Amino acid sequence: MRRHRHAKIVATVGPASNTPERLKALFLAGVDTFRLNFSHGTHDDHAKVHAAIRALEQETGRPIGILQDLQGPKIRIGTLRGDKFDLATGDRIRFVRDGREGGPDAIPLPHPEIFAAVAPGQELLIDDGRVRVRVAGVDDDAIDADVVVGGPISNRKGVNLPGTVLALSPLTEKDRRDLAFGLDLGVDWVALSFVQTPSDVMEARGLIAGRAGLIAKIEKPSALDHIEDIIRIADGVMVARGDLGVELPPEDVPGRQKELVRACRRAVKPVIVATQMLESMVSAPSPTRAEASDVATAVYDGADAVMLSAESAAGRYPIEAVSIMDRIIRRTEQHRLYRSLVRASEPEVEDSPPHAVAAAAATLADAIEAAAIVAFTSSGTTAARIARKRPNVPILAATSDTAVSRRLSLYWGAHSVLGPEIDSYEAMVDRAAEVAAQEGFAQAPDLVVAVAGIPFGRAGTTNNLRVVELGRKASGV
């Protein structure tokens, strides 16, 4: 089964999409990786979805990625007298560490980390920034603040602190239980919420211990201050524009998105652009033109994947949302400006043989109009290095590792092929021709470019390049 596009689709599973029948329909419509949102649902719910996806994988014969998204810490106010009240601009209010039911003079904020971190002049955003207050004074047990933007607040509304780094692990006790459960299930990727510093990523990486790829969700401005180190430590990045857009001025988010996509491409790490991409399709059968343009912009930027959240998890039109996202990606990648825009943002290749060989393979494949590039990879790195160049030909990522084949479903342009490990030049040539033909990408006398590392089977040793004409022996390069 072949996708006629390079960028991938991630779709969130929820009540609108969690049956085997719906999961199959979503996969056939274009989903490459399914997201399990552990902010909702029980372990039993997620286990059933995981089993259904793995059964679908067996039925279709195609690797399917599963992304576990951890909830992370939730900073919220407590309960209020009467459940809610209005704040007017200019009001002076007080937050307190303790208290069961509060009013404007004692709003419960049961998070000691905030009292230890905030300083006068900093802002607190309530209910996704609908209400904004500025800190006037703080001590161990109370924060006095002036209302900058008034409005209603109600029980348990979220609180954001732009520009404030909290002494708070991104992994709550719930997250640790969820992570252990997901790793035992066999998820392929884990998305870490509330990343503020590189040490947050290190903590999660130690717990995952190589059993899944680690995606750092960039939703805090403080993460942007350490982004190069975070990208280096993580296995990939999610541009979580919803939360990021609360704490950053909205006019800054598009530029930050482009920076993150470019930085991940330079580091050879997959990047997902997420949140509100086709938001109107939660209740409408088609997106707005602005939403279609938003998806296309991420594709023009060179993102590895674009993601659906509520659209596929709880919306009325989950299959239609995936279908239109698939069509937007394909039409964008076929546009006459696509190649020039992707090349314009192409990062410099690192000065090393593996990166140079991968880049040469992509350039050569485009130059000779090859039908495909067959990348033999034990860890996925060879395919990822080739994908960084964003060639105009498909990348067949041939691996003997089932886990690697599933993770590759998130990488730009990679079509995973599971098979035996090669152990010689002759096997490489024969297998490249066989894979390209069997998967429907080439036929005699088409050319394919085969890339591998010698010694065979050793991760990270991209150093050999061959041109193979189907039906004939190879010519070495």
Side-chain angles (χ1 to χ4, degrees):
M1 182 177 179
R2 176 179 177 181
R3 306 283 194 213
H4 292 278
R5 53 176 161 79
H6 298 295
K8 302 300 181 68
I9 295 175
V10 180
T12 305
V13 181
S17 53
N18 60 6
T19 65
E21 296 76 20
R22 277 296 177 99
L23 291 167
K24 181 176 181 178
L26 289 168
F27 175 74
L28 294 176
V31 174
D32 301 291
T33 294
F34 286 99
R35 172 181 175 245
L36 308 184
N37 184 1
F38 273 68
S39 295
H40 306 285
T42 66
H43 283 186
D44 186 55
D45 294 333
H46 293 304
K48 289 177 181 176
V49 170
H50 183 278
I53 295 170
R54 291 298 180 235
L56 177 61
E57 194 176 57
Q58 289 293 317
E59 178 186 347
T60 60
R62 293 295 309 142
I64 303 173
I66 298 178
L67 168 66
Q68 176 188 25
D69 198 332
L70 300 176
Q71 177 176 288
K74 294 299 178 184
I75 308 297
R76 302 182 185 277
I77 61 174
T79 57
L80 308 174
R81 287 193 301 272
D83 298 331
K84 64 179 181 180
F85 54 79
D86 289 329
L87 295 177
T89 300
D91 282 354
R92 170 64 63 91
I93 62 173
R94 170 169 284 198
F95 297 96
V96 295
R97 286 180 54 173
D98 301 314
R100 294 191 175 182
E101 290 189 342
D105 58 340
I107 300 172
L109 187 59
H111 300 282
E113 305 86 3
I114 294 179
F115 291 80
V118 297
Q122 293 180 323
E123 286 194 344
L124 277 67
L125 314 181
I126 305 172
D127 192 13
D128 289 337
R130 292 177 177 87
V131 174
R132 293 174 173 256
V133 305
R134 181 172 295 117
V135 175
V138 58
D139 60 33
D140 291 342
D141 298 307
I143 298 171
D144 292 316
D146 296 317
V147 178
V148 178
V149 178
I153 65 171
S154 55
N155 293 336
R156 307 292 298 163
K157 285 301 183 183
V159 178
N160 293 83
L161 293 92
T164 302
V165 177
L166 300 178
L168 191 64
S169 168
L171 292 162
T172 65
E173 287 305 314
K174 176 188 184 309
D175 293 326
R176 292 171 186 272
R177 292 192 299 271
D178 289 344
L179 177 58
F181 175 78
L183 293 174
D184 287 342
L185 273 183
V187 299
D188 306 299
W189 294 94
V190 174
L192 181 66
S193 300
F194 210 84
V195 172
Q196 301 182 96
T197 66
S199 62
D200 293 336
V201 184
M202 290 296 293
E203 181 183 10
R205 178 172 285 287
L207 292 173
I208 294 170
R211 297 171 64 187
L214 175 58
I215 299 288
K217 293 172 67 175
I218 306 304
E219 53 193 0
K220 307 288 291 180
S222 54
L224 296 171
D225 297 334
H226 310 279
I227 195 60
E228 295 295 337
D229 288 334
I230 288 172
I231 292 173
R232 176 175 52 81
I233 298 168
D235 297 306
V237 159
M238 180 187 295
V239 188
R241 304 179 305 172
D243 287 309
L244 188 63
V246 171
E247 299 201 12
L248 281 180
E251 63 270 22
D252 289 349
V253 175
R256 290 297 198 174
Q257 174 179 313
K258 291 181 183 296
E259 291 172 7
L260 288 165
V261 171
R262 183 175 176 81
C264 287
R265 189 173 165 192
R266 183 169 58 247
V268 199
K269 304 288 179 74
V271 57
I272 307 166
V273 176
T275 320
Q276 299 173 329
M277 302 216 78
L278 299 177
E279 183 78 5
S280 66
M281 291 195 72
V282 172
S283 57
S286 60
T288 67
R289 303 303 179 266
E291 288 168 339
S293 181
D294 183 36
V295 174
T297 295
V299 176
Y300 282 126
D301 288 345
D304 289 81
V306 287
M307 193 177 97
L308 296 168
S309 298
E311 303 96 325
S312 58
R316 293 174 58 188
Y317 303 97
I319 297 167
E320 291 85 350
V322 173
S323 179
I324 188 63
M325 183 169 268
D326 176 81
R327 298 205 305 273
I328 293 168
I329 296 170
R330 284 190 282 115
R331 186 61 60 87
T332 301
E333 292 179 347
Q334 292 163 7
H335 192 270
R336 58 188 177 84
L337 293 179
Y338 173 72
R339 299 307 311 170
S340 61
L341 290 172
V342 169
R343 287 198 179 101
S345 61
E346 184 177 307
E348 293 183 4
V349 176
E350 291 181 31
D351 188 15
S352 71
H355 290 286
V357 170
T363 302
L364 175 62
D366 280 341
I368 65 175
E369 298 184 347
I373 301 169
V374 180
F376 294 95
T377 182
S378 58
S379 65
T381 302
T382 296
R385 286 170 176 156
I386 296 169
R388 175 168 63 175
K389 287 284 288 185
R390 302 299 191 251
N392 201 30
V393 300
I395 303 167
L396 278 68
T399 182
S400 60
D401 190 319
T402 300
V404 170
S405 72
R406 290 167 174 163
R407 290 181 200 175
L408 283 164
S409 63
L410 198 58
Y411 282 84
W412 186 98
H415 176 90
S416 299
V417 182
L418 193 62
E421 190 169 299
I422 59 171
D423 56 7
S424 68
Y425 283 109
E426 291 75 15
M428 181 179 80
V429 171
D430 293 342
R431 179 69 176 148
E434 177 187 349
V435 164
Q438 286 183 351
E439 297 294 318
F441 287 81
Q443 60 184 6
D446 288 342
L447 300 175
V448 299
V449 175
V451 188
I454 310 296
F456 294 105
R458 181 181 297 177
T461 56
T462 309
N463 58 16
N464 190 268
L465 174 61
R466 291 273 185 118
V467 176
V468 180
E469 181 180 335
L470 269 66
R472 296 185 60 182
K473 291 292 183 181
S475 59
V477 177

